[in-house]
């Protein structure tokens, strides 16, 4: 079995995992991101990035690139089926925040983060085709061990910390909370 060592192993190359990788790098911490998908592509729907999150992304040097593709949200408004206003509220800068609220396609946000991670941490900072199979506490040298499955077999990752950022159907969550069951559908779609 192939062995890898890193200070922080991040499972999942979605927006949370990639943002964490950039934050770790900004603080001088080495990390590696492992993603189950064989290839990353811009999938998803539109999302709103709230001012508190935009502040963090701005600190990471991404605000100009985000603004180039996102829409700066000035208000949230709800209308009935006849077009009559039900409720309206200012958002972002219009609501008095120091940073805007940005409406952006989730896939575009992920690609901006991926590009930044690969540019700053190196092309090999994100390893695709690495599905988390299991994890355990490590020894004196590494606090966490993870076994990842790839097309070519298994990889053992030893790290000082393991962060599970791999989505709603998290392998880590199902192992840590086996009695919780799968996520419950709210009945709402976007």
């Amino acid at each position: 079995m192939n062995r890898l060592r890193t200070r922080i192993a991040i499972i999942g190359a979605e927006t949370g995992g990639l943002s964490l990788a950039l934050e770790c790098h900004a603080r001088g911490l080495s990390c590696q991101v492992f993603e189950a998908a064989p290839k990353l592509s811009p999938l998803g729907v539109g999302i709103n990035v709230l001012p508190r999150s935009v502040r963090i992304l701005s600190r990471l040097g991404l605000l100009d690139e985000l603004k180039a593709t996102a829409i700066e949200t000035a208000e949230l408004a709800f209308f009935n089926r006849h077009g009559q206003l039900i409720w309206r509220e200012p958002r972002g800068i219009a609501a008095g925040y120091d940073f805007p609220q940005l409406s952006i396609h989730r896939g575009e946000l992920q690609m901006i983060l991926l590009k930044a991670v690969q540019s700053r941490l190196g092309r090999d900072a994100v390893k695709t085709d690495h599905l988390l199979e299991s994890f355990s506490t490590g020894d004196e040298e590494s606090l966490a061990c993870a076994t990842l499955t790839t097309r070519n077999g298994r990889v053992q990752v030893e790290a000082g910390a393991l962060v599970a950022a791999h989505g709603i159907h998290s392998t880590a969550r199902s192992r840590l909370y086996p009695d919780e069951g799968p996520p419950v559908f709210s009945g709402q779609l976007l």
Side-chain angles (χ1 to χ4, degrees), residues 60-109:
L60 292 170
L62 300 173
L63 185 57
D64 289 340
E65 193 168 357
L66 289 168
K67 280 183 161 184
T69 188
I71 297 168
E72 191 169 324
T73 307
E75 72 175 2
L76 175 66
F78 289 97
F79 298 86
N80 68 19
R81 63 188 176 110
H82 302 291
Q84 297 163 319
L85 178 66
I86 296 171
W87 176 67
R88 173 179 277 143
E89 161 181 301
R91 292 295 172 125
I93 301 291
Y97 289 97
D98 293 333
F99 292 90
Q101 177 172 317
L102 298 176
S103 297
I104 188 171
H105 188 278
R106 193 204 65 77
E108 289 181 20
L109 173 60

Side-chain angles (χ1 to χ4, degrees), residues 80-172:
N80 68 19
R81 63 188 176 110
H82 302 291
Q84 297 163 319
L85 178 66
I86 296 171
W87 176 67
R88 173 179 277 143
E89 161 181 301
R91 292 295 172 125
I93 301 291
Y97 289 97
D98 293 333
F99 292 90
Q101 177 172 317
L102 298 176
S103 297
I104 188 171
H105 188 278
R106 193 204 65 77
E108 289 181 20
L109 173 60
Q110 183 185 20
M111 293 299 108
I112 289 169
L113 293 168
L114 176 63
K115 180 178 147 193
V117 167
Q118 290 177 330
S119 170
R120 298 173 194 183
L121 282 74
R123 301 276 317 154
D124 290 334
V126 178
K127 296 209 174 286
T128 57
D129 189 35
H130 282 70
L131 174 68
L132 179 64
E133 181 181 302
S134 64
F135 60 94
S136 62
T137 55
D139 54 27
E140 292 176 11
E141 292 182 28
S142 15
L143 299 175
C145 292
T147 302
L148 301 134
T149 304
T150 72
R151 232 174 305 169
N152 301 320
R154 288 190 170 114
V155 176
Q156 185 77 41
V157 177
E158 298 172 350
L162 176 71
V163 178
H166 58 289
I168 193 166
H169 299 289
S170 167
T171 300

